[in-house]
Amino acid sequence: MSMEIPGTGLPDPAAIQAAAGAPLDIVLEPFGTLTTTDEVRAIFGLSSAELSDDMLMQPVYISEVKETLLRIRPELFSNWDTLQNERLLEMVKRVALYSICNLIGETLPLIAARVLTDSKASIQRFNSDLSSIAETIRNRLNQAIRALKQSKASNQLPRFMGAGQPSYDPVTG
């Protein structure tokens, strides 16, 4: 199946969509599936033709996630069975997604198509567009890292017992 509109040399959106298939899971043990290739592409607004699964599945991206998580909370890897909860997993997934996107954002101006076109219309991307996307991703990564760091304190059990003395006599009022 050709990825071009016959006789034009332009990419055929229908052929690209048909060839895309199911997204691949990006997995890191002990957490399991952290994100998918489609979620990463969605952050950038790119198609599978512009940002392929082969590129997104490179070991450098999952290594970046692992290093980021080890810097933030190394105990997640050794004590995941005891620390695991739904909220913590969501925070880990968010850090993973934006960590991968941050790394991809550094090379995005080199790999993203400058002109996107179909048989009827075309748009042109500029480096300033890609720069603003990369800045937004860095901000969201920093927010996700702060949230994961702050969750460390929230894993402590609350204290329900305390001692106090009333400022009045409880018998006579």
Side-chain angles (χ1 to χ4, degrees):
M1 173 184 269
S2 174
M3 295 279 219
E4 293 182 356
I5 298 173
T8 64
L10 300 173
D12 182 11
I16 292 170
Q17 192 71 1
L24 298 176
D25 292 338
I26 298 175
V27 178
L28 176 63
E29 292 305 321
F31 312 108
T33 300
L34 294 177
T35 189
T36 66
T37 54
D38 276 357
E39 288 175 336
V40 173
R41 280 192 287 269
I43 296 292
F44 293 108
L46 298 174
S47 70
S48 58
E50 295 172 293
L51 195 56
S52 69
D53 285 344
D54 290 339
M55 181 176 178
L56 294 175
M57 295 305 293
Q58 294 298 313
V60 68
Y61 298 117
I62 200 65
S63 295
E64 179 71 14
V65 171
K66 187 174 184 178
E67 286 302 314
T68 301
L69 291 172
L70 281 170
R71 275 185 267 127
I72 299 169
R73 300 223 9 222
E75 74 276 7
L76 291 177
F77 288 91
S78 57
N79 299 334
W80 183 245
D81 291 337
T82 57
L83 295 173
Q84 180 180 359
N85 64 51
E86 194 171 317
R87 174 77 177 127
L88 189 59
L89 180 60
E90 286 304 315
M91 285 189 277
V92 168
K93 285 181 175 186
R94 189 174 309 122
V95 167
L97 176 62
Y98 286 113
S99 180
I100 291 169
C101 290
N102 187 48
L103 192 58
I104 290 170
E106 295 173 6
T107 59
L108 193 60
L110 300 173
I111 59 173
R114 298 281 184 237
V115 178
L116 299 175
T117 184
D118 61 11
S119 61
K120 298 176 184 160
S122 68
I123 63 166
Q124 184 170 359
R125 286 193 185 127
F126 299 97
N127 283 340
S128 60
D129 299 336
L130 298 174
S131 297
S132 66
I133 290 171
E135 183 63 29
T136 301
I137 288 169
R138 276 191 292 278
N139 289 338
R140 290 188 179 170
L141 174 60
N142 289 332
Q143 290 172 358
I145 287 172
R146 275 194 304 277
L148 189 56
K149 282 181 180 178
Q150 292 170 354
S151 72
K152 194 175 207 174
S154 68
N155 286 341
Q156 297 173 351
L157 294 175
R159 292 193 328 178
F160 295 109
M161 299 294 291
Q165 192 170 19
S167 60
Y168 61 93
D169 185 357
V171 176
T172 60

